[in-house]
């Protein structure tokens, strides 16, 4: 204890003794923190030993100089994270191409089409799709892991519908060109304009995205395969000319349909009725005039 002589002759005591008492009171808290730290380090060391690789003889292998306090903290946080994920509901398996889509999958894909048509693939977010579908983002991720998975689901749904439609082309259902016009109007005219907008975005993305290009090629291959088989049957039963150049005819109507989609996507005032009539009249004229020379035969 040190005594200082202050004003009016009074003595003022600087309480080193009180400082010592304050320090003594803080010791239990310090000891508690020290014990907790040691306990934490012991648990971290046990975790590190549990994660340490074991040789065939049962001896633990050394993988480094040891875990730092930061590494142990990160390990602890990861354990809590995995515990939280374990409480999350499991993801819903994506439907196989041949399986019917669930009501929830259909709702998400329809919502995604509206969002992508408004904002575009890159600007739209999973949160936007979830809000449009009327569900939480966490629930959305149970069905689709990312935007690319949603886009893949959209294209696969379209491919399946197209494959089913063209697979139903049959001479018993009437003239082939009449059936083709009915299908064309269903997919090009009666669908909402958003379908054309999304198709345009997919084609643009396919120019720099190999995965998207493969999906587009799959849809194109499905259409061409169905059409080629139907045209061969129509030529065999005399409905179409035997000398019809199948390759050029299929290329021509495919490009005409693509152009129709592009114009509809870009022009909100596009005259659907006049354009559709022009498209299908042109298809019928090409079927009569796009012939091989008489000296040539098709393989």
């Amino acid at each position: 204890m040190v005594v200082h002589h202050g004003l009016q002759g009074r003595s003022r005591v600087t309480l080193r003794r009180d400082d010592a008492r304050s320090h003594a009171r803080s010791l239990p808290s310090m000891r508690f923190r020290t014990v907790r730290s040691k306990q934490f380090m012991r648990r971290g060391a046990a975790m590190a030993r549990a994660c340490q690789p074991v040789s065939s003889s049962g001896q633990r292998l050394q993988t480094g100089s040891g875990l730092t306090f930061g590494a142990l903290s990160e390990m602890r946080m990861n354990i809590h994270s995995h515990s939280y994920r374990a409480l999350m509901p499991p993801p819903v398996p994506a439907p196989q191409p041949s399986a019917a889509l669930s009501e929830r999958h259909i709702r998400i894909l329809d919502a995604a089409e509206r969002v992508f048509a408004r904002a575009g693939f890159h600007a739209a977010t999973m949160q936007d799709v979830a809000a449009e579908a009327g569900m939480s983002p966490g629930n959305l991720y149970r069905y689709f892991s990312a935007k690319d998975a949603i886009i893949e689901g959209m294209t696969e749904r379209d491919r399946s519908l197209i494959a089913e439609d063209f697979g139903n082309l049959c001479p018993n259902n009437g003239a082939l060109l009449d059936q083709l016009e009915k299908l064309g109007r269903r997919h090009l005219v009666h669908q909402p304009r958003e379908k054309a907008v999304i198709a345009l975005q997919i084609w643009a993305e396919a120019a720099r995205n190999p995965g998207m290009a493969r999906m587009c090629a799959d849809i194109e291959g499905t259409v061409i395969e169905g059409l080629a088989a139907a045209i061969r049957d129509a030529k065999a039963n005399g409905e179409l000319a035997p000398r019809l150049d199948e390759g050029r005819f299929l290329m021509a109507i495919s490009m005409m349909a693509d152009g129709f989609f592009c114009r509809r996507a870009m022009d909100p005032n596009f005259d659907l009725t006049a354009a559709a009539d022009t498209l299908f009249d042109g298809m019928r004229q090409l079927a009569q005039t796009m012939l091989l020379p008489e000296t040539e035969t098709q393989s």
Side-chain angles (χ1 to χ4, degrees):
M1 181 176 65
V2 180
V3 178
H4 296 276
H5 297 283
L7 297 175
Q8 298 178 353
R10 296 180 179 179
S11 62
R12 182 164 52 89
V13 179
T14 302
L15 297 179
R16 287 186 179 177
R17 181 177 57 191
D18 290 349
D19 292 342
R21 289 175 179 174
S22 176
H23 176 69
R25 283 195 301 268
S26 67
L27 286 178
S29 175
M30 294 174 61
R31 291 193 190 99
F32 176 75
R33 289 195 296 269
T34 302
V35 170
R36 290 295 301 274
S37 298
K38 289 180 178 179
Q39 290 175 349
F40 172 68
M41 293 300 291
R42 281 198 296 270
R43 287 198 299 269
M47 291 161 55
R49 287 194 298 271
C51 297
Q52 194 172 3
V54 180
S55 68
S56 58
S57 61
Q59 296 181 350
R60 297 193 180 275
L61 302 177
Q62 296 296 327
T63 58
S65 58
L67 292 173
T68 65
F69 184 82
L72 291 172
S73 301
E74 183 178 358
M75 184 183 297
R76 186 185 186 192
M77 287 188 291
N78 287 338
I79 289 175
H80 285 294
S81 175
H82 289 302
S83 299
Y84 172 75
R85 290 176 185 172
L87 299 176
M88 294 289 289
V92 176
Q96 297 299 319
S98 58
L101 291 172
S102 69
E103 182 277 334
R104 188 61 61 87
H105 282 96
I106 293 174
R107 194 210 309 181
I108 294 172
L109 294 178
D110 289 344
E113 286 185 348
R114 295 191 295 270
V115 171
F116 292 157
R118 289 196 305 265
F121 289 150
H122 296 289
T125 65
M126 292 290 278
Q127 288 75 14
D128 296 333
V129 176
E132 185 76 18
M135 64 176 59
S136 67
N139 198 20
L140 173 63
Y141 278 104
R142 294 183 61 205
Y143 293 87
F144 295 98
S145 60
K147 283 195 299 183
D148 287 347
I150 294 179
I151 297 171
E152 183 176 353
M154 290 164 47
T155 55
E156 176 55 32
R157 178 172 68 166
D158 289 345
R159 191 202 65 78
S160 298
L161 292 174
I162 291 172
E164 181 179 0
D165 284 343
F166 282 93
N168 291 330
L169 292 174
C170 176
N172 296 332
N173 295 331
L176 175 61
L177 296 182
D178 291 341
Q179 295 182 63
L180 291 182
E181 180 172 347
K182 182 179 179 180
L183 283 181
R185 290 185 181 276
R186 178 186 304 172
H187 290 282
L188 300 177
V189 179
H190 299 156
Q191 292 289 342
R193 179 173 172 264
E194 286 78 9
K195 283 282 190 181
V197 174
I198 291 173
L200 196 60
Q201 294 184 54
I202 289 176
W203 294 336
E205 188 69 17
R208 54 182 177 270
N209 186 328
M212 195 74 71
R214 284 191 295 270
M215 287 188 283
C216 291
D218 288 342
I219 294 178
E220 183 76 8
T222 299
V223 172
I224 296 300
E225 182 180 356
L227 279 176
I231 289 173
R232 286 192 295 268
D233 291 340
K235 291 171 67 175
N237 63 28
E239 179 186 346
L240 295 179
R243 292 192 295 114
L244 176 64
D245 191 336
E246 297 178 21
R248 293 174 61 214
F249 177 71
L250 290 174
M251 182 184 297
I253 61 176
S254 176
M255 291 188 297
M256 290 164 61
D258 291 348
F260 184 98
F261 246 37
C262 288
R263 290 291 300 273
R264 188 181 182 193
M266 294 184 297
D267 185 3
N269 301 316
F270 185 58
D271 189 340
L272 280 177
T273 302
D277 291 342
T278 301
L279 172 63
F280 297 116
D281 286 347
M283 176 189 70
R284 295 178 185 276
Q285 292 178 17
L286 289 176
Q288 297 175 1
T289 60
M290 193 167 279
L291 306 177
L292 290 169
E294 293 185 3
T295 56
E296 293 187 21
T297 59
Q298 296 194 70
S299 56

